[in-house]
Amino acid sequence: DVTTFVPVIVYNAYEKIIPDVNVEVREDDPAQTVYKSWESYGAFVNPWYYKYWENGVAVPKDMTWDPVNGGWRCEVATACSVNAKGAHPAASINAVRVFKAPKSGYITISMLEDIIKMTSKNVLEGDDGVYVSILLYDGNSSSYVMEKEYLYPDGGREFYFENIENLHIYKGWELWFVLDRNINNQNDSVQFAPMITYTEITDEEAPVYLNSEEKLIKNTDYFATKPSN
């Protein structure tokens, strides 16, 4: 007998982009030095993760992928989301984009178009703006890399982001890019798209004020409880 055997391989795109929240930090290609959040978005999550933070003090939880609308969303309030270039908070929930360092070294933090800006087109009565900040979490405690900056809808919708250079980071440490809704989340869409670049600087060349943990501003507003990894 002659049997015809024609295998068919079907890729499930939805399953491919569901994050494994227990995945270990992988050792990336040593040649890779630049990590653009807007280009890595929607693929396997390393080294970018997406979380939501109820009132900014509860234990942050992982967002889930929305295959219909194409975004990372909070499972308890879909208004809280992170997309390729920005984010939107919910009424009492902050949106967080996380960079988990795949290797140790010195990094520069920059932003798409060198700005962080509100992208909602309409300004309505009651709009109260947002706060954005960057935190460094070393597994035990957090510090501000960029303290809270206020964006307000009428006259202060954007600000120029000055690169944070030569920040010493270790494999597994996390940078948290936090979008805080302020009091309400009305028209709170914000472009907040970081890029991380590993530099060739040595310990001897690094500025002491960024290489010393004591010089980073210890945060008191966030991490009332230890975040989940």
Side-chain angles (χ1 to χ4, degrees), residues 82-95:
V82 178
N83 57 39
K85 296 181 180 180
H88 191 286
S92 61
I93 302 175
N94 300 335

Side-chain angles (χ1 to χ4, degrees), residues 60-132:
K61 300 177 182 178
D62 293 287
M63 289 185 174
T64 55
W65 178 260
D66 179 354
V68 176
N69 299 299
W72 294 93
R73 296 187 183 276
C74 165
E75 60 188 23
V76 297
T78 56
C80 182
S81 62
V82 178
N83 57 39
K85 296 181 180 180
H88 191 286
S92 61
I93 302 175
N94 300 335
V96 186
R97 190 191 304 266
V98 180
F99 176 80
K100 193 166 188 175
K103 51 195 170 187
S104 301
Y106 289 93
I107 62 170
T108 294
I109 305 172
S110 55
M111 291 289 159
L112 178 66
E113 300 176 338
D114 296 324
I115 59 174
I116 301 174
K117 63 181 179 180
M118 301 188 75
T119 55
S120 300
K121 295 181 180 180
N122 298 322
V123 178
L124 303 176
E125 184 177 354
D127 289 0
D128 64 353
V130 298
Y131 287 99
V132 293

